[in-house]
Amino acid sequence: MTVKSGFAWLLFIVLMAVAGPRAQAAVFNPSTITLANGLQVVVIENHRAPVVTHMVWYKVGAADEVPGKTGIAHFHEHLMFKGTKTVPPGAFSAMVARLGGNENAFTTQDYTAYYQSVSVDHLEEMMKLEADRMQNLVLTDDVVLPERNVIIEERRQRIDNDPGAQLGEMMRASLFLNHPYRMPTIGWKNEMEGLTTADAIAWHQKWYVPNNAIVVISGDVTMDQVRPLAEKYYGAIPAQPLAPRVRPDEPAQFAPRRVTMQDARVELASWTRQYESPSYHRGAKEHAYALEVLSEILGGDTSSRLYRGLLIDQKVATSAGSSYDGDNVDLSVFSLYAAAPPGGGLPEIDAIEKAVDAQIGKLLKDGVTADEVSRAKAVLQAEAVKARDSLSGPARMVGTALATGSTVADVEAWPDRIGAVTVDDVNAAAKAVFDIDYSVTGILLPQAGG
């Protein structure tokens, strides 16, 4: 559960009072161009400090992997730091650190992104470095095979040593029957062990091309300053034939699934349910914005239905919440979750499940109230206002949207689309998504007798 900022709420009320109902129309006010080679460049101006965040997004992720090669998207993310014809392995990160900046990268099911935050006078060096490894990455067994051991160890630490993460993997594999979203982003260990240098080279050549990339720069710059640098470094890289993303559809589902796991490392028993749901781009996407509002109503903060019902009224849980994110290329997931009191086991989990089912039943029977919808929309819109104060936040939000199929106009219209959601919209979305046959329930318990 995320507790929303009281300041954000107050800020929204003040802005609405001063500027009227259209105050949210421009979220980031980005500028965008597309180079001749197909690379999209976006600039989000923020002149409060002489710093920038420079991000490169590739429209490829773990869901684009071929069968038997899970983990190659994340593996390749690591290998992007292994050097080029002119930059030795490890020198990229060392150069960013020497300039007083910070950098990292991340991989999801739908995209892979790389970023650096530096003073504005070092932006050109970052663009030169990123363009260099887009075109000139050098991969040999000497650097690839040791790094394969690194990602296997990362999996051991992040997944194999974490019962909650292990349960999450099993739930995801059960929720999606056919779509590659069922595969873990980090990969299955047995397949990670077989990834090769040739696999990494083929991945780079297929997907790491300018016409499959987006550069987002947020900070103390303008498009007039960025355009010549983008043309100089990225524009010199030729476009390449781009393979289509091939992703199978999900079949109809006819039965709910349950995954129960016991482990001595578990300290608090927990309950989770995931429903297959539409996104902004796939499925019954007309429900996506209403699902954002519904998630806020059900589990957004301490006034939400799940928090009040499970923690205050029935006192069967120590935490409870919900989550939904429509920014997927394909289908998404609507999640409900709660944790039992310390020392709790299966009886406490059963009480939680009955309480959640009662909340969902009441929601489907009676619907949400106008007051709940109004407050949830205001909180979500206030977060859009607050996001403007961040440097890297806008770059991440815009990059995520563009990498998953939305447009700059979609990003800017998000607060108004949230504002247009009605009570009827939320009730219709709930009825569309809360179909138990399209769900998986996960139960995590301490070891029996422990």
Side-chain angles (χ1 to χ4, degrees), residues 291-425:
L291 289 174
E292 298 273 12
V293 177
L294 177 61
S295 181
E296 185 66 33
I297 292 171
L298 279 175
D301 60 18
T302 55
S303 67
S304 68
R305 290 193 176 200
L306 291 179
Y307 189 96
R308 293 199 320 267
L310 274 67
L311 276 74
I312 297 175
D313 296 340
Q314 298 190 45
K315 297 179 174 59
V316 296
T318 55
S319 65
S322 63
S323 66
Y324 169 77
D325 183 356
D327 277 317
N328 283 0
V329 169
D330 295 315
L331 294 173
S332 189
V333 177
F334 195 105
S335 298
L336 309 172
Y337 52 87
L346 191 56
E348 289 73 21
I349 291 298
D350 287 342
I352 284 174
E353 183 162 14
K354 289 177 182 177
V356 174
D357 284 341
Q359 289 288 336
I360 297 303
K362 183 177 186 300
L363 171 69
L364 295 177
K365 179 177 180 290
D366 300 331
V368 296
T369 67
D371 181 66
E372 286 178 315
V373 172
S374 178
R375 186 183 186 283
K377 292 194 300 185
V379 170
L380 292 170
Q381 289 175 313
E383 290 179 338
V385 174
K386 188 178 179 182
R388 291 184 60 89
D389 291 332
S390 168
L391 180 64
S392 61
R396 285 176 177 258
M397 294 171 69
V398 171
T400 297
L402 297 181
T404 53
S406 295
T407 65
V408 167
D410 290 328
V411 175
E412 293 296 272
W414 188 88
D416 289 335
R417 292 175 182 174
I418 289 293
V421 171
T422 67
V423 169
D424 288 343
D425 293 335

